[in-house]
Amino acid sequence: MLKNKIALITGAGRGIGRAIAIALAKEGAEVVINYNGSEERAKEVKQTIEENGGKASIYKCNVSDFVACEAMIKDIVKEYGHLDILVNNAGITKDGLIMKMKEEDFDSVLNVNLKGTFNTIRHSARQMLKQRSGKIINISSVSVIYKYFYIRIFTNISMNTYRVFFICNVQKRIAATRRNTARYEFLFSFAEQMHNNVKIVSVLNRQHACFG
């Protein structure tokens, strides 16, 4: 089904990313396992794929680094000649009460979950347009449907990222009118969604941000 397709999965050394990499490989895609932490885990995923008859390689890259992401995409295209599937799975969470949250924790979540998704899309989209084909898939969080009495930065950013970039099929022949219409429809629906989903609740006389 995905024979001769090249798939890049960010944060594929463990968890959901690992499962996605293995599943795509089973469908015939040659998988690039992106990781930023444990090389050993990334190698284990690669070994699992190869033991099941698939093809895979590993690539270390911090997706929050704009220049590093550019180099990663260029290296993949140089090696394989094309990039057909991008799965933005890399993400971190720094849960806690907003009044106690450190600025660096907030920044790190933004940099990986939001900016990281932008970086990979920014550098892969041109190649996909050149190919006139490609798939970009952004992983959100099921936590977005739950209500908590503390701030969940990852949930909020994941929701925004999913709605901004959505799962898309990148094609060169998209009419400008259709593109503009979709943009305006999205902006209105996104504004309404944020208005409905962001609530301030008071619990025991203490205010917390509640998304849900």
Side-chain angles (χ1 to χ4, degrees):
M1 184 177 178
L2 296 177
K3 187 177 180 180
N4 298 323
K5 301 295 184 182
I6 304 301
L8 167 63
I9 301 92
T10 66
R14 61 179 181 177
I16 295 174
R18 178 183 185 278
I20 292 173
I22 293 173
L24 289 177
K26 285 183 179 180
E27 294 297 324
E30 187 161 349
V31 173
V32 179
I33 302 162
N34 162 255
Y35 71 100
N36 187 47
S38 173
E39 181 178 359
E40 184 177 337
R41 285 179 175 175
K43 286 182 176 179
E44 184 276 326
V45 179
K46 178 177 182 291
Q47 181 179 348
T48 299
I49 289 173
E50 292 175 341
E51 287 176 351
N52 285 279
K55 296 181 180 180
S57 61
I58 64 174
Y59 197 108
K60 183 175 183 178
C61 175
N62 182 349
V63 295
S64 67
D65 187 324
F66 185 84
V67 175
C69 280
E70 181 180 22
M72 175 173 65
I73 300 301
K74 285 184 176 179
D75 287 346
I76 291 172
V77 174
K78 182 178 180 180
E79 175 70 22
Y80 301 103
H82 53 101
L83 175 61
D84 305 290
I85 302 169
L86 166 63
V87 181
N88 281 308
N89 168 77
I92 62 174
T93 181
K94 300 284 186 179
D95 291 345
L97 295 175
I98 192 167
M99 67 283 290
K100 293 183 178 180
M101 183 171 291
K102 296 179 181 179
E103 181 182 7
E104 55 266 31
D105 288 341
F106 182 82
D107 288 342
S108 65
V109 175
L110 282 175
N111 288 335
V112 174
N113 298 11
L114 185 58
K115 187 170 183 283
T117 300
F118 164 78
N119 289 342
T120 54
I121 292 176
R122 167 67 173 76
H123 295 303
S124 63
R126 187 178 297 275
Q127 175 62 30
M128 291 181 175
L129 287 170
K130 183 179 179 181
Q131 298 167 181
R132 298 188 178 184
S133 67
K135 299 289 191 301
I136 298 176
I137 303 168
N138 298 309
I139 305 301
S140 184
S141 170
V142 295
S143 297
V144 77
I145 65 174
Y146 299 129
K147 295 183 178 180
Y148 293 97
F149 294 124
Y150 53 87
I151 188 166
R152 290 195 62 93
I153 295 296
F154 175 71
T155 298
N156 191 31
I157 294 173
S158 296
M159 179 180 70
N160 294 348
T161 302
Y162 178 79
R163 293 184 181 281
V164 171
F165 293 115
F166 20 73
I167 298 174
C168 58
N169 182 12
V170 181
Q171 297 179 335
K172 191 171 184 179
R173 298 178 181 177
I174 300 177
T177 53
R178 180 180 177 185
R179 194 164 58 239
N180 291 334
T181 299
R183 184 183 297 116
Y184 288 121
E185 287 179 351
F186 161 73
L187 288 174
F188 283 117
S189 64
F190 177 70
E192 182 180 0
Q193 182 70 24
M194 289 304 298
H195 175 74
N196 292 335
N197 279 310
V198 179
K199 304 172 184 177
I200 302 298
V201 297
S202 178
V203 181
L204 300 177
N205 296 321
R206 297 176 64 185
Q207 289 190 338
H208 305 264
C210 178
F211 302 96

